[in-house]
Amino acid sequence: MKQENNAKAILAIAMKLSKPIAYLIILLVTYTMGYLIASSSSSPPPFSSISELTNLPNQLDHFRVTTRCSDRPVQPELVRQTILDRVFNSRSPYDNFPPPHVRDLLRTKRVKGWGSYGAVFDHLVRSVKPRIIIEVGTFLGASAIHMANLTRQLGLRTQILCVDDFRGWPGFRDRFKDIGMVNGDVLLLQQFMQNVVSFNFTESVLPVPFSSASALEKFCEWGIFGDLIEIDAGHDFNSAWADINRAYRILRPGGVLFGHDYFTAAANRGVHRAVTLFAQFHGLKVMVDGQHWVIDSS
């Protein structure tokens, strides 16, 4: 009843305006009312109001990525050296690791993740057979180490690039009190590297210690593309939307995007909304594998 009253009020105002504007408003009201009524018994619609629908182009301006990707993709066998040259002064970050001032603050292994051992990893590694995996959101490296183990078992020569600022989040040490800190610098990167060393994956797992936005844009400029890209960093809509769009630009033709936390209490306000809206825009299908979402671009 309230929706009907709102519609009548808008129509009354529209009739006082010039006919072209009135027709436009009537069209938008009709479309939105029909959409809301059809969706009332199902999940929340992607657009909750007529103003959100009509302002969508302006909203998406805030998430538009303009970086130009290189038209010369780096060959998979050269990706590792490209990262070493551009990020680490041509030396492996694992050389002489760990440094003396943090050695006693690291645990031999401290592997922790969420959804890091789901069947989706085995399914995708077997089907895609990736040469390059890009993981956006790594924390302590549980899923990266799991994927490295899977590729090793299959005899694949896969390079895994782990994009993370390795800062955690405010208050995360309340839950991870054993992660050290030196002069305010939390030792997430160092513990991640220690985990990689412990599992003997230093040749196949490489950290890229920057924000997802800056790292993915540089990959685009440098011509580094992934066959399999996992998005598991920020879980709010803005972060997930930005990461997915940037990652899609560096996905090799026929590659696969996937990520965790498709079903959460955030529902239509977080990852679920970003993934669904992205798939709608690009005419792609979202598949579900446990708690993971999967978008196959082929």
Side-chain angles (χ1 to χ4, degrees):
M1 182 64 69
K2 184 177 180 180
Q3 291 178 341
E4 293 178 358
N5 291 337
N6 289 341
K8 290 179 181 179
I10 295 174
L11 291 174
I13 295 173
M15 297 307 296
K16 297 180 182 180
L17 303 174
S18 62
K19 287 186 177 181
I21 297 177
Y23 291 151
L24 176 60
I25 294 177
I26 291 171
L27 178 63
L28 290 173
V29 169
T30 303
Y31 175 86
T32 304
M33 293 300 296
Y35 190 93
L36 293 175
I37 292 171
S39 305
S40 61
S41 61
S42 59
S43 59
F47 308 106
S48 58
S49 68
I50 188 172
S51 62
E52 186 176 359
L53 176 64
T54 56
N55 289 328
L56 182 61
N58 291 333
Q59 294 178 42
L60 296 184
D61 282 343
H62 297 293
F63 308 109
R64 186 166 295 160
V65 181
T66 59
T67 305
R68 178 179 174 81
C69 289
S70 172
D71 55 6
R72 295 184 178 182
V74 176
Q75 294 302 306
E77 61 272 16
L78 299 178
V79 165
R80 178 182 175 83
Q81 191 59 49
T82 299
I83 295 296
L84 293 181
D85 291 343
R86 291 183 174 271
V87 178
F88 297 109
N89 293 327
S90 301
R91 294 187 59 186
S92 170
Y94 298 106
D95 288 352
N96 301 316
F97 182 85
H101 72 285
V102 301
R103 183 174 293 124
D104 294 337
L105 298 176
L106 301 177
R107 295 178 62 178
T108 302
K109 293 179 182 177
R110 177 62 166 103
V111 182
K112 169 65 181 175
W114 296 268
S116 301
Y117 304 98
V120 65
F121 294 100
D122 184 64
H123 296 163
L124 293 178
V125 168
R126 288 181 182 276
S127 62
V128 177
K129 294 180 173 57
R131 291 291 307 279
I132 302 297
I133 297 175
I134 298 173
E135 180 179 65
V136 182
T138 291
F139 197 49
L140 290 168
S143 57
I145 290 170
H146 180 51
M147 288 188 286
N149 191 50
L150 291 171
T151 58
R152 176 181 286 179
Q153 291 174 5
L154 293 174
L156 301 175
R157 298 183 61 184
T158 304
Q159 184 66 59
I160 303 176
L161 305 179
C162 295
V163 176
D164 198 306
D165 62 8
F166 294 100
R167 302 301 305 165
W169 59 89
F172 91 93
R173 292 186 74 253
D174 293 339
R175 296 178 58 186
F176 297 89
K177 298 182 185 298
D178 58 333
I179 302 298
M181 179 179 286
V182 177
N183 297 119
D185 182 22
V186 66
L187 302 181
L188 266 178
L189 173 60
Q190 292 83 354
Q191 186 60 61
F192 160 82
M193 293 174 64
Q194 177 62 44
N195 293 338
V196 173
V197 169
S198 296
F199 285 93
N200 194 29
F201 285 128
T202 58
E203 291 299 314
S204 55
V205 178
L206 197 61
V208 183
F210 303 100
S211 69
S212 57
S214 60
L216 295 180
E217 288 193 17
K218 283 303 178 183
F219 286 177
C220 168
E221 292 178 9
W222 297 340
I224 294 176
F225 296 84
D227 305 299
L228 184 61
I229 304 180
E230 180 189 10
I231 306 296
D232 193 20
H235 287 54
D236 61 285
F237 171 80
N238 290 358
S239 298
W241 173 262
D243 288 346
I244 293 168
N245 277 271
R246 288 189 171 95
Y248 187 63
R249 301 182 73 220
I250 59 171
L251 186 67
R252 289 186 186 276
V256 174
L257 286 175
F258 75 111
H260 192 227
D261 293 307
Y262 190 58
F263 300 107
T264 67
N268 224 29
R269 301 185 301 279
V271 174
H272 190 284
R273 179 184 178 88
V275 172
T276 302
L277 187 58
F278 174 84
Q280 289 175 348
F281 274 17
H282 292 276
L284 299 169
K285 182 179 179 181
V286 179
M287 295 171 285
V288 177
D289 193 327
Q291 280 285 331
H292 285 79
W293 58 269
V294 179
I295 295 179
D296 190 335
S297 68
S298 60

